């Protein structure tokens, strides 16, 4: 009898993905969410909100000395965002690959940024950059009761022993 959690220690890894105000305005919510669903990740949290300056300053605290920081906060508070938590094996790294380079001019075609944007000031989507960063961001954006534990009907098909 094998210990499943030892064999797949990160099967419950989570990441925070946010569709930024330009993505919502441009009606890209459905297409972006579809990519994460079809890749096989599990949606465990989802909401739409107008983000407060307080939350944004905590979310982007590492960037506060950057020259673009004030315009980044203006951009991110210019309209509603859709924020979600996705769960699955190596979801942080895989999501970064799916989202593409920070600067859309460098992002490969096939990535969200590479398909839907061309300038770093309006790059459509946020994705956590490490498992530790994801944990911090998820706690910042979501209450634990907003994250749902549920069984996905295909989980024994898409990953051995998941
Ligand atoms: P990310 O993790 O790929 O989103 O990139 P960073 O954490 O480095 O930066 C956070 C966000 O700040 C980016 O997604 C952009 O929206 C914005 N940003 C980063 N670099 C620049 C820049 O040079 N100019 C502007 N206007 N915005 C930037
Ligand atoms: Mg980042």
């Amino acid at each position: 009898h094998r210990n499943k959690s030892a064999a797949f220690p990160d099967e419950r890894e989570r990441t925070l993905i946010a569709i930024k105000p330009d993505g919502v305005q441009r009606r890209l919510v459905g297409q972006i969410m579809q990519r994460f669903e079809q890749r096989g990740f599990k949606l465990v949290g989802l909401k739409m909100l107008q983000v407060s300056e307080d939350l944004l300053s905590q979310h982007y605290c590492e960037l506060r000395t950057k020259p673009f920081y004030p315009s980044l906060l203006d951009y991110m508070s210019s309209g509603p965002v859709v924020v979600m938590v996705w769960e699955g094996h190596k979801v942080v790294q895989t999501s970064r690959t799916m989202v593409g380079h920070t600067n859309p001019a460098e992002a490969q075609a096939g990535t969200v940024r590479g398909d839907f944007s061309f300038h770093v000031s309006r790059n459509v989507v946020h994705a956590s950059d490490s498992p530790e960063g994801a944990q911090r961001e998820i706690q910042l954006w979501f209450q634990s009761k907003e994250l749902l534990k549920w069984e996905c009907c295909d989980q024994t098909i898409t990953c051995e022993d998941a």
Side-chain angles (χ1 to χ4, degrees), residues 7-67:
F8 293 92
D10 58 357
E11 78 190 39
R12 298 219 184 281
E13 185 174 293
R14 290 175 168 181
T15 196
L16 186 104
I17 302 295
I19 303 173
K20 296 177 174 183
D22 52 332
V24 174
Q25 284 285 349
R26 294 172 56 203
R27 303 181 176 88
L28 297 174
V29 173
Q31 290 187 69
I32 293 169
M33 290 189 66
Q34 182 177 31
R35 292 178 178 220
F36 289 86
E37 283 195 319
Q38 78 188 18
R39 192 68 189 257
F41 293 124
K42 186 200 282 189
L43 183 63
V44 297
L46 170 69
K47 60 185 172 184
M48 184 178 194
L49 70 160
Q50 176 72 47
V51 194
S52 69
E53 183 144 346
D54 181 52
L55 192 150
L56 283 177
S57 62
Q58 291 185 66
H59 178 75
Y60 283 130
C61 60
E62 289 169 356
L63 300 176
R64 66 189 175 279
T65 60
K66 301 281 186 192

Short mmCIF file of all heavy atoms in Angstrom, two decimals, residues 7-67:
data_model
loop_
_atom_site.label_atom_id
_atom_site.label_comp_id
_atom_site.label_asym_id
_atom_site.label_seq_id
_atom_site.Cartn_x
_atom_site.Cartn_y
_atom_site.Cartn_z
N ALA A 7 4.40 10.14 -2.60
CA ALA A 7 4.76 9.99 -4.02
C ALA A 7 4.50 11.28 -4.80
O ALA A 7 5.23 11.60 -5.72
CB ALA A 7 3.96 8.83 -4.63
N PHE A 8 3.45 12.01 -4.42
CA PHE A 8 3.08 13.24 -5.14
C PHE A 8 2.90 14.37 -4.13
O PHE A 8 1.79 14.81 -3.86
CB PHE A 8 1.80 13.02 -5.94
CG PHE A 8 1.99 12.04 -7.07
CD1 PHE A 8 1.75 10.70 -6.89
CD2 PHE A 8 2.43 12.48 -8.31
CE1 PHE A 8 1.95 9.79 -7.92
CE2 PHE A 8 2.63 11.58 -9.33
CZ PHE A 8 2.39 10.24 -9.14
N PRO A 9 4.03 14.85 -3.56
CA PRO A 9 3.92 15.80 -2.46
C PRO A 9 3.26 17.12 -2.84
O PRO A 9 2.70 17.79 -2.00
CB PRO A 9 5.37 16.02 -2.03
CG PRO A 9 6.18 15.63 -3.23
CD PRO A 9 5.42 14.55 -3.90
N ASP A 10 3.33 17.49 -4.13
CA ASP A 10 2.81 18.81 -4.50
C ASP A 10 1.53 18.72 -5.34
O ASP A 10 1.19 19.63 -6.05
CB ASP A 10 3.88 19.62 -5.25
CG ASP A 10 4.36 18.90 -6.50
OD1 ASP A 10 3.91 17.78 -6.75
OD2 ASP A 10 5.17 19.49 -7.22
N GLU A 11 0.81 17.60 -5.23
CA GLU A 11 -0.39 17.49 -6.05
C GLU A 11 -1.43 18.55 -5.67
O GLU A 11 -2.31 18.86 -6.45
CB GLU A 11 -0.98 16.08 -5.98
CG GLU A 11 -1.77 15.79 -4.71
CD GLU A 11 -2.12 14.32 -4.56
OE1 GLU A 11 -1.29 13.46 -4.89
OE2 GLU A 11 -3.23 14.05 -4.11
N ARG A 12 -1.31 19.09 -4.47
CA ARG A 12 -2.24 20.13 -4.05
C ARG A 12 -1.62 21.53 -4.10
O ARG A 12 -2.08 22.45 -3.44
CB ARG A 12 -2.77 19.86 -2.65
CG ARG A 12 -3.55 18.57 -2.55
CD ARG A 12 -4.77 18.70 -1.66
NE ARG A 12 -5.45 17.43 -1.52
CZ ARG A 12 -6.28 16.94 -2.46
NH1 ARG A 12 -6.51 17.61 -3.57
NH2 ARG A 12 -6.86 15.77 -2.27
N GLU A 13 -0.55 21.67 -4.87
CA GLU A 13 0.04 23.00 -5.03
C GLU A 13 -1.01 23.95 -5.60
O GLU A 13 -1.86 23.55 -6.40
CB GLU A 13 1.25 22.91 -5.98
CG GLU A 13 2.01 24.22 -6.11
CD GLU A 13 3.29 24.05 -6.94
OE1 GLU A 13 4.21 23.34 -6.48
OE2 GLU A 13 3.34 24.60 -8.05
N ARG A 14 -0.95 25.19 -5.15
CA ARG A 14 -1.93 26.19 -5.60
C ARG A 14 -1.23 27.44 -6.11
O ARG A 14 -0.14 27.76 -5.67
CB ARG A 14 -2.85 26.58 -4.44
CG ARG A 14 -3.79 25.47 -4.04
CD ARG A 14 -4.60 25.83 -2.82
NE ARG A 14 -5.68 24.87 -2.63
CZ ARG A 14 -6.58 24.95 -1.65
NH1 ARG A 14 -6.53 25.94 -0.79
NH2 ARG A 14 -7.53 24.04 -1.56
N THR A 15 -1.92 28.14 -7.00
CA THR A 15 -1.40 29.43 -7.47
C THR A 15 -2.52 30.43 -7.60
O THR A 15 -3.70 30.07 -7.72
CB THR A 15 -0.65 29.27 -8.81
OG1 THR A 15 0.14 30.45 -9.03
CG2 THR A 15 -1.61 29.08 -9.98
N LEU A 16 -2.15 31.71 -7.53
CA LEU A 16 -3.12 32.79 -7.72
C LEU A 16 -2.98 33.35 -9.12
O LEU A 16 -1.90 33.77 -9.54
CB LEU A 16 -2.87 33.90 -6.70
CG LEU A 16 -3.94 34.99 -6.73
CD1 LEU A 16 -4.89 34.84 -5.54
CD2 LEU A 16 -3.33 36.39 -6.71
N ILE A 17 -4.08 33.34 -9.85
CA ILE A 17 -4.14 33.92 -11.19
C ILE A 17 -5.17 35.05 -11.14
O ILE A 17 -6.28 34.86 -10.62
CB ILE A 17 -4.60 32.87 -12.23
CG1 ILE A 17 -3.66 31.65 -12.24
CG2 ILE A 17 -4.72 33.49 -13.63
CD1 ILE A 17 -2.24 31.92 -12.70
N ALA A 18 -4.80 36.22 -11.67
CA ALA A 18 -5.76 37.32 -11.72
C ALA A 18 -5.86 37.83 -13.14
O ALA A 18 -4.84 38.02 -13.82
CB ALA A 18 -5.34 38.44 -10.77
N ILE A 19 -7.08 38.03 -13.60
CA ILE A 19 -7.29 38.69 -14.88
C ILE A 19 -7.41 40.17 -14.57
O ILE A 19 -8.28 40.61 -13.82
CB ILE A 19 -8.53 38.13 -15.60
CG1 ILE A 19 -8.37 36.61 -15.77
CG2 ILE A 19 -8.72 38.84 -16.95
CD1 ILE A 19 -9.60 35.90 -16.31
N LYS A 20 -6.46 40.93 -15.10
CA LYS A 20 -6.32 42.35 -14.76
C LYS A 20 -7.42 43.17 -15.45
O LYS A 20 -8.14 42.65 -16.33
CB LYS A 20 -4.92 42.81 -15.18
CG LYS A 20 -3.79 42.11 -14.39
CD LYS A 20 -2.41 42.54 -14.88
CE LYS A 20 -1.31 41.97 -14.02
NZ LYS A 20 0.05 42.44 -14.46
N PRO A 21 -7.57 44.45 -15.07
CA PRO A 21 -8.69 45.25 -15.62
C PRO A 21 -8.76 45.27 -17.15
O PRO A 21 -9.88 45.27 -17.71
CB PRO A 21 -8.42 46.64 -15.05
CG PRO A 21 -7.77 46.36 -13.73
CD PRO A 21 -6.86 45.18 -14.01
N ASP A 22 -7.62 45.26 -17.84
CA ASP A 22 -7.68 45.25 -19.32
C ASP A 22 -8.25 43.93 -19.83
O ASP A 22 -9.01 43.91 -20.81
CB ASP A 22 -6.31 45.54 -19.94
CG ASP A 22 -5.18 44.67 -19.42
OD1 ASP A 22 -5.26 44.21 -18.26
OD2 ASP A 22 -4.20 44.45 -20.15
N GLY A 23 -7.94 42.84 -19.16
CA GLY A 23 -8.48 41.53 -19.56
C GLY A 23 -9.99 41.45 -19.38
O GLY A 23 -10.70 40.89 -20.22
N VAL A 24 -10.48 42.03 -18.27
CA VAL A 24 -11.92 42.05 -18.03
C VAL A 24 -12.61 42.95 -19.06
O VAL A 24 -13.59 42.56 -19.70
CB VAL A 24 -12.22 42.53 -16.59
CG1 VAL A 24 -13.73 42.69 -16.37
CG2 VAL A 24 -11.64 41.55 -15.57
N GLN A 25 -12.05 44.17 -19.24
CA GLN A 25 -12.63 45.11 -20.22
C GLN A 25 -12.71 44.50 -21.62
O GLN A 25 -13.67 44.73 -22.34
CB GLN A 25 -11.78 46.39 -20.30
CG GLN A 25 -11.95 47.35 -19.15
CD GLN A 25 -13.25 48.12 -19.25
OE1 GLN A 25 -13.93 48.09 -20.26
NE2 GLN A 25 -13.60 48.78 -18.15
N ARG A 26 -11.70 43.72 -21.97
CA ARG A 26 -11.63 43.16 -23.33
C ARG A 26 -12.35 41.82 -23.47
O ARG A 26 -12.23 41.14 -24.47
CB ARG A 26 -10.15 43.05 -23.74
CG ARG A 26 -9.49 44.43 -23.87
CD ARG A 26 -7.99 44.31 -24.08
NE ARG A 26 -7.70 43.49 -25.23
CZ ARG A 26 -6.53 42.83 -25.43
NH1 ARG A 26 -5.56 42.92 -24.53
NH2 ARG A 26 -6.37 42.11 -26.50
N ARG A 27 -13.11 41.46 -22.40
CA ARG A 27 -13.95 40.24 -22.42
C ARG A 27 -13.13 38.97 -22.65
O ARG A 27 -13.53 38.07 -23.38
CB ARG A 27 -15.05 40.34 -23.49
CG ARG A 27 -15.94 41.56 -23.31
CD ARG A 27 -17.01 41.58 -24.40
NE ARG A 27 -17.94 42.68 -24.22
CZ ARG A 27 -17.78 43.90 -24.69
NH1 ARG A 27 -16.68 44.20 -25.39
NH2 ARG A 27 -18.68 44.83 -24.48
N LEU A 28 -11.94 38.93 -22.00
CA LEU A 28 -11.06 37.77 -22.16
C LEU A 28 -11.20 36.76 -21.02
O LEU A 28 -10.50 35.74 -21.00
CB LEU A 28 -9.60 38.24 -22.25
CG LEU A 28 -9.28 39.12 -23.46
CD1 LEU A 28 -7.84 39.64 -23.38
CD2 LEU A 28 -9.49 38.36 -24.77
N VAL A 29 -12.12 37.04 -20.08
CA VAL A 29 -12.21 36.18 -18.88
C VAL A 29 -12.44 34.71 -19.26
O VAL A 29 -11.74 33.82 -18.79
CB VAL A 29 -13.33 36.68 -17.94
CG1 VAL A 29 -13.55 35.70 -16.79
CG2 VAL A 29 -12.98 38.06 -17.39
N GLY A 30 -13.42 34.48 -20.12
CA GLY A 30 -13.76 33.10 -20.48
C GLY A 30 -12.61 32.38 -21.16
O GLY A 30 -12.28 31.24 -20.81
N GLN A 31 -11.98 33.04 -22.12
CA GLN A 31 -10.88 32.39 -22.85
C GLN A 31 -9.70 32.07 -21.95
O GLN A 31 -9.03 31.05 -22.12
CB GLN A 31 -10.39 33.31 -23.98
CG GLN A 31 -11.37 33.46 -25.11
CD GLN A 31 -10.75 34.24 -26.26
OE1 GLN A 31 -9.85 33.74 -26.94
NE2 GLN A 31 -11.20 35.45 -26.47
N ILE A 32 -9.41 32.97 -21.01
CA ILE A 32 -8.27 32.73 -20.12
C ILE A 32 -8.58 31.59 -19.15
O ILE A 32 -7.77 30.67 -18.96
CB ILE A 32 -7.86 34.02 -19.38
CG1 ILE A 32 -7.32 35.03 -20.39
CG2 ILE A 32 -6.84 33.73 -18.28
CD1 ILE A 32 -7.13 36.44 -19.85
N MET A 33 -9.78 31.61 -18.57
CA MET A 33 -10.14 30.53 -17.65
C MET A 33 -10.16 29.18 -18.37
O MET A 33 -9.76 28.16 -17.82
CB MET A 33 -11.51 30.80 -17.02
CG MET A 33 -11.46 31.94 -16.04
SD MET A 33 -12.99 32.10 -15.12
CE MET A 33 -12.95 30.59 -14.16
N GLN A 34 -10.60 29.18 -19.60
CA GLN A 34 -10.67 27.93 -20.38
C GLN A 34 -9.30 27.26 -20.49
O GLN A 34 -9.18 26.04 -20.44
CB GLN A 34 -11.23 28.22 -21.76
CG GLN A 34 -11.38 26.96 -22.60
CD GLN A 34 -12.01 27.22 -23.95
OE1 GLN A 34 -11.85 28.28 -24.53
NE2 GLN A 34 -12.73 26.24 -24.44
N ARG A 35 -8.26 28.07 -20.64
CA ARG A 35 -6.91 27.49 -20.78
C ARG A 35 -6.50 26.71 -19.55
O ARG A 35 -5.86 25.67 -19.65
CB ARG A 35 -5.90 28.60 -21.06
CG ARG A 35 -6.11 29.24 -22.42
CD ARG A 35 -5.13 30.38 -22.66
NE ARG A 35 -5.35 30.92 -23.99
CZ ARG A 35 -4.39 31.31 -24.81
NH1 ARG A 35 -3.12 31.25 -24.43
NH2 ARG A 35 -4.68 31.79 -26.00
N PHE A 36 -6.85 27.24 -18.36
CA PHE A 36 -6.50 26.54 -17.13
C PHE A 36 -7.37 25.30 -16.93
O PHE A 36 -6.89 24.26 -16.46
CB PHE A 36 -6.59 27.51 -15.94
CG PHE A 36 -5.49 28.52 -15.96
CD1 PHE A 36 -5.61 29.70 -16.69
CD2 PHE A 36 -4.30 28.28 -15.28
CE1 PHE A 36 -4.57 30.62 -16.74
CE2 PHE A 36 -3.26 29.20 -15.32
CZ PHE A 36 -3.40 30.37 -16.06
N GLU A 37 -8.62 25.39 -17.30
CA GLU A 37 -9.50 24.22 -17.21
C GLU A 37 -9.02 23.12 -18.15
O GLU A 37 -8.91 21.96 -17.78
CB GLU A 37 -10.94 24.59 -17.59
CG GLU A 37 -11.68 25.33 -16.51
CD GLU A 37 -13.18 25.37 -16.77
OE1 GLU A 37 -13.60 25.56 -17.94
OE2 GLU A 37 -13.94 25.21 -15.80
N GLN A 38 -8.71 23.50 -19.40
CA GLN A 38 -8.37 22.45 -20.36
C GLN A 38 -7.01 21.84 -20.08
O GLN A 38 -6.75 20.69 -20.42
CB GLN A 38 -8.52 22.95 -21.80
CG GLN A 38 -7.40 23.81 -22.32
CD GLN A 38 -7.73 24.41 -23.70
OE1 GLN A 38 -8.86 24.46 -24.14
NE2 GLN A 38 -6.71 24.90 -24.37
N ARG A 39 -6.12 22.60 -19.41
CA ARG A 39 -4.83 22.02 -19.04
C ARG A 39 -4.99 20.94 -17.97
O ARG A 39 -4.13 20.08 -17.81
CB ARG A 39 -3.88 23.13 -18.55
CG ARG A 39 -2.42 22.71 -18.41
CD ARG A 39 -1.79 22.43 -19.76
NE ARG A 39 -0.48 21.82 -19.64
CZ ARG A 39 0.67 22.47 -19.81
NH1 ARG A 39 0.69 23.76 -20.12
NH2 ARG A 39 1.82 21.85 -19.68
N GLY A 40 -6.09 21.01 -17.23
CA GLY A 40 -6.39 19.98 -16.24
C GLY A 40 -6.33 20.44 -14.80
O GLY A 40 -6.48 19.65 -13.88
N PHE A 41 -6.13 21.74 -14.58
CA PHE A 41 -6.06 22.23 -13.21
C PHE A 41 -7.46 22.37 -12.63
O PHE A 41 -8.46 22.44 -13.34
CB PHE A 41 -5.29 23.55 -13.16
CG PHE A 41 -3.83 23.37 -13.50
CD1 PHE A 41 -3.24 24.08 -14.54
CD2 PHE A 41 -3.07 22.44 -12.81
CE1 PHE A 41 -1.90 23.88 -14.87
CE2 PHE A 41 -1.73 22.23 -13.13
CZ PHE A 41 -1.15 22.95 -14.16
N LYS A 42 -7.49 22.40 -11.30
CA LYS A 42 -8.76 22.45 -10.58
C LYS A 42 -8.98 23.86 -10.01
O LYS A 42 -8.09 24.40 -9.34
CB LYS A 42 -8.72 21.43 -9.43
CG LYS A 42 -10.03 21.27 -8.69
CD LYS A 42 -9.82 20.67 -7.32
CE LYS A 42 -9.60 19.18 -7.38
NZ LYS A 42 -9.61 18.58 -6.00
N LEU A 43 -10.13 24.42 -10.30
CA LEU A 43 -10.48 25.74 -9.77
C LEU A 43 -10.98 25.58 -8.33
O LEU A 43 -11.93 24.83 -8.09
CB LEU A 43 -11.58 26.35 -10.64
CG LEU A 43 -12.05 27.77 -10.30
CD1 LEU A 43 -10.93 28.79 -10.45
CD2 LEU A 43 -13.24 28.15 -11.17
N VAL A 44 -10.32 26.25 -7.39
CA VAL A 44 -10.76 26.13 -5.99
C VAL A 44 -11.23 27.45 -5.37
O VAL A 44 -11.75 27.46 -4.27
CB VAL A 44 -9.67 25.48 -5.09
CG1 VAL A 44 -9.38 24.05 -5.55
CG2 VAL A 44 -8.40 26.29 -5.05
N GLY A 45 -11.05 28.55 -6.11
CA GLY A 45 -11.54 29.84 -5.62
C GLY A 45 -11.69 30.81 -6.78
O GLY A 45 -10.90 30.75 -7.73
N LEU A 46 -12.72 31.66 -6.72
CA LEU A 46 -12.99 32.58 -7.83
C LEU A 46 -13.83 33.75 -7.35
O LEU A 46 -14.85 33.56 -6.69
CB LEU A 46 -13.78 31.82 -8.91
CG LEU A 46 -14.38 32.63 -10.07
CD1 LEU A 46 -13.30 33.19 -10.97
CD2 LEU A 46 -15.33 31.74 -10.87
N LYS A 47 -13.41 34.97 -7.68
CA LYS A 47 -14.26 36.13 -7.41
C LYS A 47 -13.87 37.31 -8.28
O LYS A 47 -12.77 37.36 -8.84
CB LYS A 47 -14.24 36.52 -5.93
CG LYS A 47 -12.89 36.90 -5.38
CD LYS A 47 -13.00 37.14 -3.86
CE LYS A 47 -11.65 37.32 -3.24
NZ LYS A 47 -11.73 37.44 -1.76
N MET A 48 -14.81 38.25 -8.40
CA MET A 48 -14.58 39.49 -9.15
C MET A 48 -14.66 40.63 -8.14
O MET A 48 -15.56 40.65 -7.31
CB MET A 48 -15.68 39.64 -10.20
CG MET A 48 -15.52 40.81 -11.11
SD MET A 48 -16.86 40.80 -12.32
CE MET A 48 -16.23 41.96 -13.52
N LEU A 49 -13.70 41.54 -8.23
CA LEU A 49 -13.71 42.65 -7.28
C LEU A 49 -12.99 43.88 -7.83
O LEU A 49 -12.16 43.79 -8.73
CB LEU A 49 -13.09 42.25 -5.94
CG LEU A 49 -11.59 41.99 -5.85
CD1 LEU A 49 -11.11 42.09 -4.42
CD2 LEU A 49 -11.22 40.65 -6.43
N GLN A 50 -13.38 45.02 -7.27
CA GLN A 50 -12.64 46.25 -7.48
C GLN A 50 -11.59 46.29 -6.37
O GLN A 50 -11.93 46.31 -5.20
CB GLN A 50 -13.61 47.44 -7.36
CG GLN A 50 -12.96 48.81 -7.46
CD GLN A 50 -12.48 49.13 -8.87
OE1 GLN A 50 -13.22 48.94 -9.83
NE2 GLN A 50 -11.26 49.61 -8.98
N VAL A 51 -10.32 46.25 -6.74
CA VAL A 51 -9.26 46.06 -5.75
C VAL A 51 -8.94 47.35 -5.02
O VAL A 51 -8.81 48.41 -5.65
CB VAL A 51 -7.98 45.52 -6.42
CG1 VAL A 51 -7.03 44.98 -5.36
CG2 VAL A 51 -8.30 44.42 -7.41
N SER A 52 -8.78 47.26 -3.71
CA SER A 52 -8.42 48.44 -2.92
C SER A 52 -6.93 48.75 -3.08
O SER A 52 -6.12 47.86 -3.36
CB SER A 52 -8.73 48.21 -1.44
OG SER A 52 -7.85 47.23 -0.93
N GLU A 53 -6.58 50.02 -2.85
CA GLU A 53 -5.18 50.42 -2.92
C GLU A 53 -4.35 49.70 -1.86
O GLU A 53 -3.20 49.33 -2.09
CB GLU A 53 -5.08 51.95 -2.73
CG GLU A 53 -3.66 52.44 -2.87
CD GLU A 53 -3.58 53.81 -3.54
OE1 GLU A 53 -4.59 54.25 -4.13
OE2 GLU A 53 -2.51 54.42 -3.46
N ASP A 54 -4.99 49.46 -0.72
CA ASP A 54 -4.31 48.75 0.37
C ASP A 54 -3.91 47.34 -0.05
O ASP A 54 -2.76 46.92 0.14
CB ASP A 54 -5.25 48.71 1.59
CG ASP A 54 -4.60 48.01 2.76
OD1 ASP A 54 -3.47 48.39 3.11
OD2 ASP A 54 -5.21 47.07 3.30
N LEU A 55 -4.84 46.61 -0.65
CA LEU A 55 -4.53 45.24 -1.10
C LEU A 55 -3.46 45.26 -2.18
O LEU A 55 -2.52 44.46 -2.17
CB LEU A 55 -5.80 44.54 -1.58
CG LEU A 55 -5.69 43.03 -1.82
CD1 LEU A 55 -7.03 42.36 -1.58
CD2 LEU A 55 -5.21 42.70 -3.20
N LEU A 56 -3.58 46.22 -3.11
CA LEU A 56 -2.59 46.29 -4.20
C LEU A 56 -1.20 46.59 -3.68
O LEU A 56 -0.21 46.01 -4.17
CB LEU A 56 -3.00 47.38 -5.20
CG LEU A 56 -4.12 47.02 -6.17
CD1 LEU A 56 -4.47 48.21 -7.04
CD2 LEU A 56 -3.73 45.81 -7.03
N SER A 57 -1.11 47.48 -2.70
CA SER A 57 0.22 47.83 -2.20
C SER A 57 0.85 46.63 -1.48
O SER A 57 2.07 46.46 -1.51
CB SER A 57 0.16 49.06 -1.30
OG SER A 57 -0.63 48.80 -0.18
N GLN A 58 0.01 45.80 -0.85
CA GLN A 58 0.56 44.58 -0.24
C GLN A 58 0.94 43.55 -1.32
O GLN A 58 1.99 42.91 -1.24
CB GLN A 58 -0.45 43.96 0.72
CG GLN A 58 -0.68 44.81 1.96
CD GLN A 58 -1.60 44.11 2.93
OE1 GLN A 58 -1.26 43.07 3.49
NE2 GLN A 58 -2.80 44.66 3.11
N HIS A 59 0.06 43.41 -2.31
CA HIS A 59 0.31 42.44 -3.38
C HIS A 59 1.62 42.75 -4.11
O HIS A 59 2.40 41.85 -4.40
CB HIS A 59 -0.86 42.46 -4.36
CG HIS A 59 -0.70 41.55 -5.53
ND1 HIS A 59 -0.86 40.18 -5.42
CD2 HIS A 59 -0.39 41.79 -6.82
CE1 HIS A 59 -0.65 39.63 -6.61
NE2 HIS A 59 -0.36 40.57 -7.48
N TYR A 60 1.84 44.04 -4.39
CA TYR A 60 3.03 44.45 -5.16
C TYR A 60 4.09 45.11 -4.27
O TYR A 60 4.86 45.95 -4.75
CB TYR A 60 2.62 45.40 -6.28
CG TYR A 60 1.98 44.69 -7.48
CD1 TYR A 60 0.76 45.13 -8.01
CD2 TYR A 60 2.60 43.61 -8.11
CE1 TYR A 60 0.19 44.51 -9.12
CE2 TYR A 60 2.03 42.97 -9.20
CZ TYR A 60 0.83 43.43 -9.71
OH TYR A 60 0.26 42.81 -10.81
N CYS A 61 4.18 44.70 -2.99
CA CYS A 61 5.11 45.36 -2.06
C CYS A 61 6.57 45.29 -2.54
O CYS A 61 7.34 46.23 -2.32
CB CYS A 61 4.97 44.79 -0.65
SG CYS A 61 5.29 43.03 -0.53
N GLU A 62 6.93 44.22 -3.24
CA GLU A 62 8.32 44.09 -3.69
C GLU A 62 8.66 45.07 -4.82
O GLU A 62 9.84 45.27 -5.13
CB GLU A 62 8.58 42.65 -4.19
CG GLU A 62 8.61 41.64 -3.05
CD GLU A 62 8.59 40.19 -3.54
OE1 GLU A 62 8.47 39.98 -4.76
OE2 GLU A 62 8.67 39.30 -2.68
N LEU A 63 7.65 45.68 -5.42
CA LEU A 63 7.90 46.57 -6.56
C LEU A 63 7.78 48.05 -6.20
O LEU A 63 7.84 48.92 -7.08
CB LEU A 63 6.91 46.24 -7.70
CG LEU A 63 6.97 44.82 -8.26
CD1 LEU A 63 5.87 44.61 -9.29
CD2 LEU A 63 8.34 44.53 -8.87
N ARG A 64 7.60 48.35 -4.90
CA ARG A 64 7.25 49.72 -4.52
C ARG A 64 8.30 50.77 -4.89
O ARG A 64 7.96 51.94 -5.00
CB ARG A 64 6.88 49.80 -3.03
CG ARG A 64 8.03 49.51 -2.08
CD ARG A 64 7.55 49.39 -0.63
NE ARG A 64 8.65 48.99 0.23
CZ ARG A 64 9.08 47.73 0.35
NH1 ARG A 64 8.48 46.75 -0.30
NH2 ARG A 64 10.11 47.45 1.12
N THR A 65 9.55 50.35 -5.09
CA THR A 65 10.58 51.32 -5.46
C THR A 65 10.76 51.47 -6.97
O THR A 65 11.55 52.29 -7.44
CB THR A 65 11.95 50.91 -4.86
OG1 THR A 65 12.29 49.63 -5.38
CG2 THR A 65 11.90 50.86 -3.34
N LYS A 66 10.03 50.67 -7.74
CA LYS A 66 10.17 50.73 -9.21
C LYS A 66 9.53 52.01 -9.77
O LYS A 66 8.51 52.46 -9.25
CB LYS A 66 9.48 49.52 -9.86
CG LYS A 66 10.01 48.19 -9.40
CD LYS A 66 11.31 47.84 -10.10
CE LYS A 66 11.73 46.43 -9.73
NZ LYS A 66 13.09 46.11 -10.12
N PRO A 67 10.10 52.54 -10.85
CA PRO A 67 9.54 53.77 -11.43
C PRO A 67 8.10 53.59 -11.93
O PRO A 67 7.32 54.55 -11.90
CB PRO A 67 10.48 54.08 -12.59
CG PRO A 67 11.28 52.84 -12.83
CD PRO A 67 11.32 52.10 -11.54
#
